[in-house]
């Protein structure tokens, strides 16, 4: 093939599949159609609260919105773009394409969202509502929320306010994409493991520090 000048053009290398999935910086300009990803993870517990809150917001939202709702073991919501699970590659692509990411408090999901340039809007699972076996998501998400690393939403009103603000200006929930966040992810997962260990330790009954010694009956030995 020759160019306009008659010189031969060198064939341009095609980007690899891995390169196509690398994080990109979020576009801070206004979007014509909001692309929103909601992910509840793969935990066996249902997370009706997050899905219901999202559906309520979507019903009264204005402007065109494209949804991808990964609802896991939660009953399929009456929302467009609802799927039970996404494979790893599909989830990566959904995060690349999304303008906003809403998710549960799973460390892996949160850190993947940040790796792709999102400040995730996080609703942690609450064990008191039957959404998880312990409160490590609450502890983890509150730590990150206090540090400004996630937009923590523990009420319906907080979630709806965050979504409305994000729909009006998605750049409010954009951070610098970090393709080298693997060490941070491992450290965070290790920290959550420690939190879970601490929870188990605190919930395990401790033996009493004192013992009642009864006087042995005649003809028996006292065993200590």
């Amino acid at each position: 093939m020759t160019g306009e000048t008659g010189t031969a053009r060198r064939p341009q290398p095609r980007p690899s599949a891995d390169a196509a999935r690398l994080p990109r910086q979020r576009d801070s300009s206004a979007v014509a159609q909001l692309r929103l990803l909601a992910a509840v993870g793969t935990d066996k517990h249902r997370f009706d609260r997050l899905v219901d809150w999202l559906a309520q917001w979507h019903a009264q939202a204005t402007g065109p919105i494209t949804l991808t709702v990964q609802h896991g073991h939660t009953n399929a919501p009456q929302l467009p773009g609802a799927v039970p699970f996404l494979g790893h590659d599909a989830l990566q692509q959904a995060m690349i394409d999304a303008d906003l990411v809403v998710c549960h408090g799973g460390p892996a999901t949160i850190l993947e969202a940040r790796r792709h340039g999102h400040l995730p809007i996080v609703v942690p699972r609450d064990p008191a509502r039957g959404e998880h076996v312990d409160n490590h998501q609450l502890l983890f998400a509150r730590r990150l929320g206090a540090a400004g690393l996630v937009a923590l939403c523990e009420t319906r009103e907080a979630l709806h306010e965050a979504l409305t603000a994000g729909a009006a200006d998605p750049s409010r929930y954009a951070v610098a994409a970090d393709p080298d966040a693997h060490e941070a992810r491992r450290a965070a997962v290790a920290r959550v493991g420690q939190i879970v260990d601490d929870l188990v330790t605190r919930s395990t009954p401790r033996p009493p520090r004192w013992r009642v010694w009864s006087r042995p009956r005649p003809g028996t030995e006292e065993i200590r």
Side-chain angles (χ1 to χ4, degrees):
M1 181 182 297
T2 59
E4 293 176 352
T5 61
T7 58
R9 291 180 180 173
R10 292 184 178 181
Q12 297 298 314
R14 294 182 178 180
S16 66
D18 288 339
R21 288 195 296 268
L22 285 176
R24 63 176 175 83
Q25 301 303 322
R26 298 284 115 200
D27 186 357
S28 61
S29 60
V31 295
Q33 181 157 333
L34 184 76
R35 295 165 297 183
L36 191 155
L37 168 66
V40 308
T42 59
D43 189 87
K44 66 181 181 180
H45 297 82
R46 289 166 50 174
F47 201 3
D48 301 289
R49 186 164 54 103
L50 173 54
V51 173
D52 289 347
W53 289 354
L54 177 63
Q56 293 163 13
W57 176 81
H58 183 261
Q60 51 82 40
T62 59
I65 301 172
T66 298
L67 286 178
T68 300
V69 183
Q70 182 267 309
H71 58 83
H73 294 283
T74 304
N75 291 337
Q78 297 299 311
L79 286 170
V83 294
F85 300 100
L86 291 169
H88 177 75
D89 289 350
L91 180 61
Q92 298 298 304
Q93 190 60 54
M95 287 191 174
I96 290 171
D97 294 339
D99 300 302
L100 293 177
V101 171
V102 180
C103 63
H104 70 149
T109 307
I110 289 173
L111 291 164
E112 281 299 309
R114 287 190 57 86
R115 192 170 78 89
H116 285 287
H118 298 285
L119 179 74
I121 299 170
V122 175
V123 180
R125 291 174 179 266
D126 185 351
R129 302 172 185 265
E131 298 165 350
H132 216 311
V133 295
D134 55 47
N135 66 345
H136 80 265
Q137 283 203 7
L138 283 168
L139 297 176
F140 185 69
R142 285 170 180 171
R143 275 178 184 265
L144 295 188
L149 298 176
V150 303
L152 177 63
C153 299
E154 296 192 52
T155 66
R156 177 181 59 186
E157 291 73 21
L159 176 63
H160 288 188
E161 288 176 9
L163 289 171
T164 299
D169 181 10
S171 67
R172 294 183 59 166
Y173 297 96
V175 297
D178 183 7
D180 301 316
H182 303 295
E183 289 300 325
R185 175 176 175 175
R186 279 197 290 267
V189 171
R191 174 59 185 152
V192 171
Q194 183 60 53
I195 290 173
V196 173
D197 288 344
D198 292 345
L199 288 170
V200 171
T201 299
R202 288 200 295 268
S203 64
T204 302
R206 296 182 179 180
R209 295 183 179 181
W210 50 270
R211 297 175 65 183
V212 177
W213 296 100
S214 60
R215 189 181 298 275
R217 290 177 295 174
T220 63
E221 295 182 1
E222 183 177 359
I223 301 176
R224 295 179 181 263

